[in-house]
């Protein structure tokens, strides 16, 4: 079996899939796309993934898109090390949490990410260039237009941070209910993998204090970072602060 993963080092969605490959100790070819240069919008890539986003998995020529779908697919075709509970009720619970993670923290984290890390690159474009770039995005056109070259408003930032806070509280409640240390109990599942990149991103942006009063989430975060799969997933260049020097300064002064 040969796996090729179209990915971007700092893409939170790609990080989910890289983590699962690494946790399964299955090698894969990583094709790194430069999202700021628009590699994800080139015609050949759009034939693979009409959403114009990463990640995309090519498994022996079969294409699978969407990170949560890909991680479930990998658990099906590489079942030796599984991150999916056998019990159907627990499996359904895992899937509902994965949906929650996509709808809440994964969506909300884009607002601080774009405002703090990507906005300076977009501000260098002329208005026409920015509009053409926004227009070319199948999935994120309206998101880009709402952000504009002035960035998301204070109100939009606050709303995103509140959604993130509610996500940490939900994690806390799930860990308490399951007995932890993971969301569904003793075993790490794809639900943990699904939320991991949002917390890593917020930590990287200097905002880990948002869950500092939730000790179960603090322990969860330390535990996932201690997993052997974590380091190879977050190879150098995977954190925004490693790529954007202005963020590193911000993080250091936080
Ligand atoms: N639901 C999709 C979302 C994928 C997604 O939004 N990918 C981002 C990086 S994390 C991307 O490629 N963005 C490119 C862009 O906004 O043009 C998934 O989980 O795979």
């Amino acid at each position: 079996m040969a796996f090729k993963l179209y990915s971007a080092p700092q893409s939170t969605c790609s990080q989910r899939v890289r983590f699962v490959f690494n946790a399964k100790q299955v090698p894969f070819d990583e094709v790194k796309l430069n999202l700021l240069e628009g590699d994800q919008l080139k015609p050949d890539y759009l034939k693979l993934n009409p959403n114009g986003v990463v990640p995309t998995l090519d498994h022996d020529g079969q294409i699978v898109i969407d990170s949560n779908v890909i991680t479930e697919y990998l658990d099906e075709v590489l079942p030796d090390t599984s991150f999916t509970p056998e019990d159907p009720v627990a499996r359904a619970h895992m899937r509902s949490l994965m949906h929650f993670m996509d709808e809440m923290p994964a969506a909300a984290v884009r607002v601080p990410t774009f405002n703090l890390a990507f906005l300076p690159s977009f501000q260098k474009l002329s208005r026409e260039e920015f509009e053409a770039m926004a227009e070319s995005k199948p999935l994120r056109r309206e998101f880009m237009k709402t952000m504009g070259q002035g960035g998301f408003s204070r109100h939009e930032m606050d709303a995103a941070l509140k959604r993130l806070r509610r996500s940490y509280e939900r994690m806390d409640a799930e860990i308490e209910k399951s007995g932890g240390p993971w969301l569904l109990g003793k075993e790490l599942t794809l639900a943990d993998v699904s939320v991991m990149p949002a917390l890593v991103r917020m930590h990287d942006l200097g905002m880990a204090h948002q869950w500092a009063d939730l000790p179960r989430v603090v322990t969860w975060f330390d535990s996932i970072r201690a997993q052997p799969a974590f380091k190879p997933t977050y190879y150098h260049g995977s954190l925004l602060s490693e790529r954007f020097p202005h963020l590193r300064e911000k993080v250091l002064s936080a």
Side-chain angles (χ1 to χ4, degrees), residues 5 10 22 30-31 33 56-57 79 138 165 179 202 228 240:
L5 181 67
Q10 301 112 30
N22 290 320
E30 188 178 1
V31 182
L33 273 62
T56 295
L57 178 71
R165 172 66 195 184
M202 292 304 281
L240 286 178

Side-chain angles (χ1 to χ4, degrees), residues 8 10-17 33 35-36 38 40-41 45 49 51-56 65-70 102 106 110 114 118 122 133 136-141 143-144 201:
Q10 301 112 30
S11 145
T12 50
C13 314
S14 304
Q15 289 158 1
R16 289 172 172 167
V17 180
L33 273 62
L35 301 183
L36 282 177
Q40 75 280 23
L41 302 167
Y45 184 74
N49 188 332
N51 292 333
V53 291
V54 287
T56 295
I65 63 170
D66 201 286
S67 57
N68 275 341
V69 175
I70 298 173
D102 253 1
R110 288 190 195 109
F114 274 69
F118 300 147
F122 297 136
M133 184 266 296
S136 70
K137 288 185 188 270
L139 211 59
R140 295 283 142 69
R141 188 171 303 165
F143 174 87
M144 294 300 289
R201 170 63 46 83

Side-chain angles (χ1 to χ4, degrees), residues 134-181:
E135 202 57 45
S136 70
K137 288 185 188 270
L139 211 59
R140 295 283 142 69
R141 188 171 303 165
E142 289 73 18
F143 174 87
M144 294 300 289
K145 288 183 180 177
T146 305
M147 179 184 71
Q149 284 177 292
F152 288 104
S153 66
R154 186 68 259 167
H155 174 74
E156 282 154 338
M157 273 288 268
D158 286 347
L161 295 181
K162 279 185 193 154
R163 284 164 69 74
L164 282 156
R165 172 66 195 184
R166 296 211 300 281
S167 308
Y168 313 137
E169 287 169 359
R170 174 68 181 276
M171 288 178 71
D172 185 51
E174 293 291 338
I175 299 167
E176 183 179 23
K177 199 168 64 184
S178 73

Side-chain angles (χ1 to χ4, degrees), residues 209-222:
H209 56 83
Q210 284 203 322
W211 64 81
D213 63 330
L214 302 172
R216 281 180 281 264
V217 179
V218 172
T219 304
W220 179 95
F221 187 61
D222 291 343

